[in-house]
Amino acid sequence: MANVELTSLAKLPTLSKLRKLELSDDVISGGQEVLAGRCPNLTPLNLSGNKIKDLSTVEALQNLKNLKSLDLFNCDVTNLEDYRESVFELLQQIAYLDGFDQEDNEAPDSEDEDDEEGDEEDEEDEDEAGPPGEYEEDEDDAGSDLGEGEEEEEVGLLYLMMKEEIQDEDDDDDYVEEGGDEGEEGRFCKA
């Protein structure tokens, strides 16, 4: 829900399984206390670019016990003296604030974290799907027309759309049924 001019979290539904919430570049100034009750499993929370001005608003996030990363970059609260120290003191559960820990070490990319968490799921789904080109050869494919050492190249929709030679014909003529008999289906001629 980033950059959608969201002003309040009051109508946020209960999303107990939600782990990551992006609320950046909205106009939220308070009301974060609802997050603990409705999204208790948030790990990263991005509130950057909002209208958060004081630490009391941040204090409302204390009940998010699983919160590990909070982003308040470009919020007015970041201009307060001792901002970082104060937030780390208020929210002792977080490891990263605005992408850095208390010792100013940069947080690992969230994509890296997702990859680590997804490794277990990947192992379970190993037989279901995989990246293109890594499929086991079916017996039906064994007798393909390709010579030895040649690989079949998959052609996707994007490839077809990008080819200049493949374009919609300028043929606006409709097909009409020949004759008037209802029993003669499938016979058409150009009008």
Side-chain angles (χ1 to χ4, degrees), residues 177-187:
E177 194 170 333
E178 190 176 335
D181 297 339
E182 292 176 16
E184 292 188 60
E185 292 180 17
R187 288 189 174 180

Side-chain angles (χ1 to χ4, degrees), residues 16-65:
S16 58
K17 293 183 180 183
L18 187 68
R19 295 184 60 192
K20 181 178 184 179
L21 186 56
E22 295 279 340
L23 297 169
S24 61
D25 300 314
D26 287 318
V27 285
I28 299 168
S29 59
Q32 284 83 357
E33 58 276 352
V34 302
L35 290 173
R38 298 185 186 164
C39 305
N41 292 310
L42 290 179
T43 308
L45 174 60
N46 186 345
L47 291 167
S48 64
N50 278 285
K51 305 294 180 193
I52 299 169
K53 296 180 180 181
D54 54 60
L55 290 173
S56 63
T57 306
V58 175
E59 189 174 3
L61 301 173
Q62 285 179 327
N63 293 326
L64 285 171
K65 302 299 181 193

Side-chain angles (χ1 to χ4, degrees), residues 100-115:
F100 294 90
D101 67 12
Q102 283 184 292
E103 286 78 39
D104 286 329
N105 297 313
E106 192 170 359
D109 289 340
S110 61
E111 291 175 6
D112 293 342
E113 292 172 12
D114 292 344
D115 288 347

